[in-house]
Amino acid sequence: MTSNKSSIKVMKTRISLFMIPVLFILTGRSLAQTQITAEKVGDKIEVRINGNLLTNYILSEHEKYPFFFPVNGPSKASVTSMKNANYPHHSSLFFGCDRVNGGNYWQEGLERGQITPLRADIIESGGEKVVIENENIWKRPGAMAPVKDFRTITVTVPSADLYQIDFEITMEMLLDVTIKKTNHSLFSGRMDPDLAVINGVSRW
């Protein structure tokens, strides 16, 4: 891999990027007999904790990329936003990248680039965790697909006050890939407007 100020070049290879936990702090829940289930319903996978919807993993061929929505908190309302007025190209909790070999796998417009599911399999369900495997191809009309990605999504409840989604991804470069300098890339979440920092400074 080589890089400069304006682009990143990746030779044909496989890169395991990261495992990222997405945490949702909940209170007043009993951990006893927690059951986490996943079920395919149309073009999505529903994930439930003790029968209550945590999230849908949406895998529609009509969407820009796979994404999670809603992502529910203790009130059973989503903590993320879906294509709101300020960010119409942000779909809740998602993974993508702009400016990849001349394509755009982030902003709206399927003809500019799309991350399309090849398969999505529920590996484990009904016990203390859900495990989903998902394979996707990055494509656009008139061009060879530059990337295939492999995702493992694991949902657990580590304690009575915590729901956790682990998202592990490996990207296979099918060609030599150039990613030009961009602010739009990789794993992102668009929070509900009531939780988002619109004005001011967010400190971590």
Side-chain angles (χ1 to χ4, degrees), residues 35-101:
Q35 184 182 51
I36 313 172
T37 60
E39 180 183 8
K40 287 186 177 180
V41 180
D43 58 4
K44 65 185 177 183
I45 296 176
E46 293 182 352
V47 179
R48 296 180 180 273
I49 298 175
N50 291 334
N52 297 314
L53 183 66
L54 170 65
T55 191
N56 294 316
Y57 189 45
I58 298 174
L59 298 143
S60 172
E61 63 181 11
H62 304 296
E63 296 287 350
K64 184 75 175 181
Y65 37 60
F67 60 92
F68 300 89
F69 185 79
V71 182
N72 288 332
S75 67
K76 299 183 177 64
S78 181
V79 300
T80 62
S81 177
M82 179 67 183
K83 294 181 170 66
N84 68 39
N86 292 327
Y87 301 97
H89 53 290
H90 288 183
S91 297
S92 187
L93 195 64
F94 66 98
F95 181 91
C97 189
D98 192 0
R99 309 190 75 187
V100 179
N101 279 22

Side-chain angles (χ1 to χ4, degrees), residues 44-173:
K44 65 185 177 183
I45 296 176
E46 293 182 352
V47 179
R48 296 180 180 273
I49 298 175
N50 291 334
N52 297 314
L53 183 66
L54 170 65
T55 191
N56 294 316
Y57 189 45
I58 298 174
L59 298 143
S60 172
E61 63 181 11
H62 304 296
E63 296 287 350
K64 184 75 175 181
Y65 37 60
F67 60 92
F68 300 89
F69 185 79
V71 182
N72 288 332
S75 67
K76 299 183 177 64
S78 181
V79 300
T80 62
S81 177
M82 179 67 183
K83 294 181 170 66
N84 68 39
N86 292 327
Y87 301 97
H89 53 290
H90 288 183
S91 297
S92 187
L93 195 64
F94 66 98
F95 181 91
C97 189
D98 192 0
R99 309 190 75 187
V100 179
N101 279 22
N104 184 315
Y105 301 89
W106 182 278
Q107 298 186 44
E108 60 265 53
L110 301 187
E111 74 286 350
R112 302 166 71 188
Q114 184 181 16
I115 303 174
T116 304
L118 297 175
R119 66 176 181 91
D121 300 316
I122 299 169
I123 305 302
E124 189 169 343
S125 173
E128 296 182 349
K129 65 179 177 180
V130 153
V131 179
I132 299 166
E133 290 184 353
N134 170 219
E135 181 179 354
N136 304 287
I137 191 77
W138 298 38
K139 65 179 186 179
R140 64 188 175 94
M144 295 181 67
V147 177
K148 183 185 289 185
D149 76 55
F150 304 85
R151 309 177 185 193
T152 301
I153 299 153
T154 305
V155 180
T156 56
V157 181
S159 72
D161 299 325
L162 184 66
Y163 292 178
Q164 181 167 308
I165 302 174
D166 288 307
F167 189 88
E168 182 178 0
I169 184 166
T170 297
M171 298 179 72
E172 180 182 357
M173 306 303 164

